[in-house]
Amino acid sequence: GKEPSAWFGPTSAARATGHLFEALTQGGDDGTALPSFLQSVACAVFEDGAVFKTSVLEKFDQGAKAVIILVCRRLGLESFNLSEYRAGIEACFRLPEFQGLSSGNSGSSAHFFIGTHDDCLLFLDPHKTLPALESIEAVRETPDCGLHAPRPLPLRWNRLNPSVCLGFLVRSPEAFVALCTKLGEGPFGEVFEVLEKQPSYINRGEEATDEDMVLLG
């Protein structure tokens, strides 16, 4: 539902990424081949903050050798809640599975954060449109693939947009289960919620019978 040149927020970008992975996995009508370095990679998107274990483990059961996990959260109403969430987000950058944070500043800019230093987050700002990179070798060999900034770009924590998407990469079911254990400990627990599976809500209104009715006096 996005128009060309429209900005994507973190959740919209994560949702679009998930749809692209699904489309690539199923194969397009135009015969477009899936790039070789993505053939064994799956993507799981969690739009409301909670991580459901079965949703990721099913990707491995279906043959994935690695799964990208995108967790979307809003960490504050009008501004980023520093006292509640900074410690948990900052700790993510010390996890080997963590790939970075998609968000922006308190205005409308979009950034990809790859580290922290003192009272700042460090971000990349890739806005160059270049040909698609179809292999790991292409990423490594291209001198300027639009993914690298000439210098670290800082943003103070108090200017971070409260809408964020956190990216992880796990390479086995065991690594994912271990990551879930970490995300339930210490400051991570303020940011993440890990559940076994997504709740199934039944429309009880359609299944109700006379025996289900209780008269309240």
Side-chain angles (χ1 to χ4, degrees):
K2 290 283 188 178
E3 295 295 328
S5 79
W7 284 87
F8 280 69
T11 300
S12 296
R15 187 183 299 122
T17 301
H19 288 326
L20 286 172
F21 266 89
E22 289 179 7
L24 287 171
T25 302
Q26 296 168 3
D29 296 334
D30 59 357
T32 302
L34 183 66
S36 59
F37 71 104
L38 287 179
Q39 288 177 0
S40 59
V41 180
C43 181
V45 180
F46 301 103
E47 298 182 20
D48 299 317
V51 175
F52 304 114
K53 288 184 178 180
T54 55
S55 298
V56 176
L57 294 174
E58 285 172 358
K59 303 289 186 183
F60 286 108
D61 292 339
Q62 294 165 2
K65 294 182 180 178
V67 179
I68 297 170
I69 302 169
L70 302 177
V71 184
C72 304
R73 289 291 319 264
R74 186 168 182 86
L75 304 177
L77 296 177
E78 299 299 326
S79 61
F80 179 72
N81 190 328
L82 275 169
S83 60
E84 192 80 11
Y85 301 117
R86 173 176 171 173
I89 295 295
E90 201 161 18
C92 286
F93 289 97
R94 295 191 287 271
L95 293 175
E97 301 88 354
F98 189 60
Q99 302 300 303
L101 170 70
S102 173
S103 185
N105 60 26
S106 53
S108 59
S109 295
H111 303 313
F112 186 71
F113 297 90
I114 44 82
T116 64
H117 179 68
D118 290 338
D119 198 37
C120 293
L121 298 104
L122 303 177
F123 66 89
L124 302 177
D125 193 21
H127 283 118
K128 293 182 180 179
T129 302
L130 296 170
L133 302 172
E134 298 184 354
S135 68
I136 292 296
E137 290 71 23
V139 175
R140 292 171 177 166
E141 294 173 3
T142 304
D144 181 7
C145 58
L147 302 176
H148 306 287
R151 60 181 177 81
L153 301 170
L155 180 78
R156 290 194 175 276
W157 279 95
N158 60 7
R159 295 193 61 215
L160 180 66
N161 194 292
S163 182
V164 303
C165 175
L166 303 106
F168 298 86
L169 176 67
V170 289
R171 301 182 184 275
S172 69
E174 295 77 15
F176 171 64
V177 172
L179 174 63
C180 288
T181 300
K182 295 176 188 175
L183 296 183
E185 300 172 344
F188 297 113
E190 300 296 332
V191 178
F192 300 97
E193 181 180 15
V194 180
L195 303 174
E196 288 297 324
K197 63 180 181 178
Q198 187 169 5
S200 178
Y201 299 102
I202 300 174
N203 189 344
R204 298 191 61 84
E206 295 180 358
E207 299 183 356
T209 64
D210 291 341
E211 287 76 15
D212 296 322
M213 303 301 176
V214 177
L215 180 63
L216 300 177

